[in-house]
PDB file of all heavy atoms in Angstrom:
ATOM      1  N   ALA A  43     -38.177 -22.736 -31.146  1.00  0.00           N
ATOM      2  CA  ALA A  43     -39.470 -23.450 -31.149  1.00  0.00           C
ATOM      3  C   ALA A  43     -39.686 -24.181 -32.470  1.00  0.00           C
ATOM      4  O   ALA A  43     -40.102 -25.416 -32.564  1.00  0.00           O
ATOM      5  CB  ALA A  43     -40.661 -22.431 -30.967  1.00  0.00           C
ATOM      6  N   LEU A  48     -39.501 -29.329 -35.795  1.00  0.00           N
ATOM      7  CA  LEU A  48     -39.323 -29.932 -36.951  1.00  0.00           C
ATOM      8  C   LEU A  48     -37.940 -30.887 -37.038  1.00  0.00           C
ATOM      9  O   LEU A  48     -37.568 -31.551 -38.024  1.00  0.00           O
ATOM     10  CB  LEU A  48     -38.928 -28.881 -38.188  1.00  0.00           C
ATOM     11  CG  LEU A  48     -40.002 -28.017 -38.405  1.00  0.00           C
ATOM     12  CD1 LEU A  48     -39.667 -26.778 -39.382  1.00  0.00           C
ATOM     13  CD2 LEU A  48     -41.137 -28.755 -39.006  1.00  0.00           C
ATOM     14  N   PRO A  56     -29.840 -37.602 -44.017  1.00  0.00           N
ATOM     15  CA  PRO A  56     -29.246 -38.076 -42.654  1.00  0.00           C
ATOM     16  C   PRO A  56     -30.046 -37.445 -41.562  1.00  0.00           C
ATOM     17  O   PRO A  56     -30.492 -36.395 -41.647  1.00  0.00           O
ATOM     18  CB  PRO A  56     -27.783 -37.624 -42.712  1.00  0.00           C
ATOM     19  CG  PRO A  56     -27.848 -36.488 -43.563  1.00  0.00           C
ATOM     20  CD  PRO A  56     -28.794 -36.752 -44.691  1.00  0.00           C
ATOM     21  N   GLY A 145     -24.864 -17.683 -36.510  1.00  0.00           N
ATOM     22  CA  GLY A 145     -23.576 -17.440 -37.147  1.00  0.00           C
ATOM     23  C   GLY A 145     -23.564 -15.992 -37.809  1.00  0.00           C
ATOM     24  O   GLY A 145     -22.502 -15.205 -37.689  1.00  0.00           O
TER      25      GLY A 145
END
Side-chain angles (χ1 to χ4, degrees):
L48 299 173

